[in-house]
């Protein structure tokens, strides 16, 4: 199947242009522009089969290993939840910092952690990298709100036999009534009510901490960002990028 029509393309409005001109650099640029748009034609590729097992080479990423050593054992929900929370607490989003952080830093995950700050795509990269050290496959989830103005990046981790959505920016995952963790593709649809509930308090807290300079930029200024009770709509349009981090390989 020729995927060129789905690689950073085919989104509504001006989203294709925004992806093509995104002001990031290095790996971040490759990941953003290489995202595979979720569509009926690509959904079987994204969700139809499990990814191959992941093998991490011990010693390849010692700084990340030190972080992972302090998280719950195994590669299931307890680990994923703790890793998501760890990134949230140790890598602060620039919207909450007094100084402006350039989006084109092109840092490694270790450098992002060392800086203490990270844009949403950088936070998601750190989460996926921590998961890889534990042998858990992850991928980036690029999202666009229904209003076509607000964008965000989170992650999915393959745990307990399926993809599960995690957002380190807000320390959110979405548990459904049957106990299953929601996939990103469900958040604006079947799992919308659960997503709205999960995001309500984190969004309110996030907005309360935003620095005044956030209003200078489109996307997350007050006029563009999601209402606190409509977090699920942030995942109306999706793209995914696999991320095989340095030090890991698919078995």
């Amino acid at each position: 199947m020729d995927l060129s029509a789905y690689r950073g393309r085919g989104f509504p409005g001006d989203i294709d242009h925004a992806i093509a001109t995104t002001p990031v650099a290095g790996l971040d640029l490759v990941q953003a522009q290489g995202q595979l748009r979720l569509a009926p034609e690509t959904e079987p590729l994204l969700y139809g089969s499990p990814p191959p097992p992941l093998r991490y080479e011990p010693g390849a990423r010692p700084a990340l290993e030190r972080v992972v050593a302090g998280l719950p054992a195994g590669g299931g929900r307890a680990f994923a939840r703790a890793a998501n929370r760890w990134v949230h607490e140790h890598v602060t989003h620039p919207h909450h910092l007094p100084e402006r952080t350039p989006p084109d830093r092109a840092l490694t995950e270790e450098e992002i952690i060392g800086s203490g700050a990270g844009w949403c795509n950088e936070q998601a990269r750190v989460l996926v990298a921590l998961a890889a050290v534990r042998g858990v496959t992850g991928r980036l989830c690029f999202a666009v709100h229904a209003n076509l103005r607000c964008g965000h990046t989170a992650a999915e981790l393959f745990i307990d036999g399926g993809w599960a959505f995690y957002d380190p920016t807000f320390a959110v995952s979405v548990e459904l009534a049957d106990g299953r963790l929601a996939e990103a593709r469900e958040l604006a649809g079947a799992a919308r009510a659960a997503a709205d509930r999960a995001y309500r308090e984190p969004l309110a807290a996030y907005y309360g901490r935003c620095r005044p300079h956030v209003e200078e930029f489109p996307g997350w200024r007050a006029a563009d960002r999601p209402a606190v009770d409509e977090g699920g709509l942030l995942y109306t349009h999706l793209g995914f990028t696999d991320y095989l981090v340095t030090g890991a390989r698919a078995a």
Side-chain angles (χ1 to χ4, degrees), residues 45-125:
L45 298 175
L46 291 166
Y47 285 101
S49 301
L54 194 66
R55 298 287 182 264
Y56 172 74
E57 180 63 35
R61 311 289 293 270
L64 300 184
E65 291 177 23
R66 287 193 290 272
V67 174
V68 170
L71 301 177
R77 286 194 192 188
F79 163 76
R81 185 184 307 110
N84 197 45
R85 170 60 65 175
W86 190 95
V87 178
H88 176 76
E89 294 177 349
H90 292 83
V91 182
T92 301
H93 196 285
H95 287 173
H96 298 155
L97 298 174
E99 67 279 4
R100 291 166 172 78
T101 302
D104 58 349
R105 303 187 298 170
L107 302 180
T108 66
E109 287 79 31
E110 290 87 346
E111 290 169 337
I112 294 169
I113 292 171
S115 77
W119 294 96
C120 56
N121 63 302
E122 294 176 316
Q123 293 172 313
R125 276 180 51 204

Side-chain angles (χ1 to χ4, degrees), residues 47 141 143 154-156 164-167 172-176 181-196 198-199 230-236 238:
Y47 285 101
C141 170
E156 282 189 329
F165 170 83
Y166 286 92
D167 184 347
V172 163
S173 59
V174 179
E175 185 169 344
L176 303 179
L181 292 178
E183 303 163 335
R185 63 175 172 173
E186 299 175 287
L187 299 180
R192 167 76 188 282
D196 288 348
Y199 269 97
E230 295 184 344
L233 286 180
L234 186 54
Y235 300 92
T236 301
L238 298 173

Side-chain angles (χ1 to χ4, degrees), residues 12-245:
D14 294 328
I15 302 305
D16 290 7
H17 176 72
I19 293 172
T21 60
T22 183
V24 298
L27 176 61
D28 298 311
L29 182 62
V30 173
Q31 291 177 333
Q33 295 183 339
Q35 62 180 277
L36 183 62
R37 175 170 54 88
L38 178 65
E41 298 83 359
T42 61
E43 193 166 17
L45 298 175
L46 291 166
Y47 285 101
S49 301
L54 194 66
R55 298 287 182 264
Y56 172 74
E57 180 63 35
R61 311 289 293 270
L64 300 184
E65 291 177 23
R66 287 193 290 272
V67 174
V68 170
L71 301 177
R77 286 194 192 188
F79 163 76
R81 185 184 307 110
N84 197 45
R85 170 60 65 175
W86 190 95
V87 178
H88 176 76
E89 294 177 349
H90 292 83
V91 182
T92 301
H93 196 285
H95 287 173
H96 298 155
L97 298 174
E99 67 279 4
R100 291 166 172 78
T101 302
D104 58 349
R105 303 187 298 170
L107 302 180
T108 66
E109 287 79 31
E110 290 87 346
E111 290 169 337
I112 294 169
I113 292 171
S115 77
W119 294 96
C120 56
N121 63 302
E122 294 176 316
Q123 293 172 313
R125 276 180 51 204
V126 172
L127 175 59
V128 171
L130 295 177
V133 170
R134 188 55 68 80
V136 175
T137 300
R139 61 188 182 188
L140 302 187
C141 170
F142 295 90
V144 177
H145 191 278
N147 66 15
L148 303 184
R149 298 192 303 273
C150 184
H152 184 45
T153 308
E156 282 189 329
L157 303 181
F158 195 81
I159 59 173
D160 299 335
W163 289 107
F165 170 83
Y166 286 92
D167 184 347
T169 302
F170 298 97
V172 163
S173 59
V174 179
E175 185 169 344
L176 303 179
D178 61 3
R180 182 174 57 84
L181 292 178
E183 303 163 335
R185 63 175 172 173
E186 299 175 287
L187 299 180
R192 167 76 188 282
D196 288 348
R197 287 194 299 272
Y199 269 97
R200 186 172 292 117
E201 290 186 10
L203 280 173
Y206 186 93
Y207 297 158
R209 294 176 57 203
C210 279
R211 297 288 182 148
H213 60 76
V214 176
E215 290 299 312
E216 300 174 13
F217 303 98
W220 281 89
R221 60 191 178 189
D224 298 336
R225 62 200 187 199
V228 295
D229 57 352
E230 295 184 344
L233 286 180
L234 186 54
Y235 300 92
T236 301
H237 306 286
L238 298 173
F240 296 88
T241 297
D242 294 333
Y243 184 23
L244 187 61
V245 305

